[in-house]
Amino acid sequence: MEDDLRIVEAPADAVPLDHETRAEGDDHEALRLWLRLLTCTNLIEAAVRANLRRAFDVTLPRFDLMAQLYKHGDGLKMGELSQRMMVTGGNVTGIADQLGQEGLVVREPDAADRRAMRIRLTAAGREAFARMAAQHESWVVAMMDGLGDDERAQLYRLLGRLKASVTREA
């Protein structure tokens, strides 16, 4: 006998499930804070991914690779891209191959190391990324609009202190 599968819709006023919902009232404040940070990060990333897909039919990894190349006009080696994006070389190669087929990046021999190839954005790639980056920035600004200027500045400073503290512990 097969199990009946039903999709049950949540009530319209239900709180969406996320990492923060795992926290209990008696959990340490540091744990609750970490779960809130994780939830905010995931929500922002999901919105950015959806917006990039909808507006430009591009994935976040493609956007990230293009962002790295945009910052480095003379291009980067595959290994450098891999390190900067914190992904494997195979992931970078696949994305670069796709972008190359679309005429957005080119591979060129590295002048300092003939065994290595550099990847750089083409003029079309720079233009496409500039449009995406401007829209990306407007999305992020809109998502942070619930905080005032002083609150954003304070949160930025506090997160900087947290980052320094975590870095020391690692």
Side-chain angles (χ1 to χ4, degrees), residues 2-8:
E2 292 183 25
D3 291 331
D4 289 332
L5 296 177
R6 295 184 318 151
I7 297 174
V8 178

Side-chain angles (χ1 to χ4, degrees), residues 45-65:
E45 182 179 322
V48 167
R49 283 179 187 276
N51 288 338
L52 284 170
R53 177 68 74 189
R54 186 187 74 252
F56 300 103
D57 194 28
V58 70
T59 64
L60 186 56
R62 286 171 59 115
F63 177 84
D64 288 344
L65 186 143

Side-chain angles (χ1 to χ4, degrees), residues 7-8 26 92 103 119 124 130-131 137-138 142 144 150 152 168:
I7 297 174
V8 178
D26 60 346
V92 170
I119 300 173
R131 281 193 315 274
E137 181 176 301
S138 73
M144 301 287 173
D150 291 343
R152 282 191 303 273
R168 281 192 305 271

Side-chain angles (χ1 to χ4, degrees), residues 2-169:
E2 292 183 25
D3 291 331
D4 289 332
L5 296 177
R6 295 184 318 151
I7 297 174
V8 178
E9 292 187 27
D13 62 347
V15 176
L17 295 178
D18 55 38
H19 292 291
E20 193 173 356
T21 60
R22 291 188 264 170
E24 300 289 330
D26 60 346
D27 285 339
H28 194 283
E29 184 179 41
L31 177 61
R32 289 185 287 127
L33 176 60
W34 174 68
L35 292 171
R36 180 162 291 175
L37 286 169
L38 184 58
T39 295
C40 288
T41 299
N42 289 342
L43 291 170
I44 292 167
E45 182 179 322
V48 167
R49 283 179 187 276
N51 288 338
L52 284 170
R53 177 68 74 189
R54 186 187 74 252
F56 300 103
D57 194 28
V58 70
T59 64
L60 186 56
R62 286 171 59 115
F63 177 84
D64 288 344
L65 186 143
M66 292 177 77
Q68 290 300 321
L69 294 177
Y70 193 82
K71 287 188 239 179
H72 298 90
D74 59 342
L76 292 167
K77 294 185 214 176
M78 288 288 220
E80 293 170 328
L81 267 171
S82 177
Q83 287 175 338
R84 290 174 187 278
M85 293 178 64
M86 295 181 279
V87 297
T88 66
N91 288 350
V92 170
T93 299
I95 296 168
D97 287 348
Q98 292 168 358
L99 292 171
Q101 290 169 1
E102 295 170 25
L104 300 174
V105 302
V106 292
R107 289 183 182 172
E108 301 170 328
D110 187 296
D113 181 357
R114 293 185 185 198
R115 297 169 297 158
M117 297 295 281
R118 294 185 83 73
I119 300 173
R120 70 171 176 78
L121 289 174
T122 62
R126 291 190 72 73
E127 184 179 312
F129 180 76
R131 281 193 315 274
M132 287 186 272
Q135 189 62 58
H136 172 270
E137 181 176 301
S138 73
W139 297 326
V140 173
V141 167
M143 284 185 266
M144 301 287 173
D145 199 35
L147 299 173
D149 293 344
D150 291 343
E151 291 170 315
R152 282 191 303 273
Q154 180 183 19
L155 182 57
Y156 185 79
R157 283 191 305 275
L158 291 172
L159 289 173
R161 287 177 49 196
L162 177 61
K163 179 180 176 182
S165 174
V166 171
T167 303
R168 281 192 305 271
E169 295 296 320

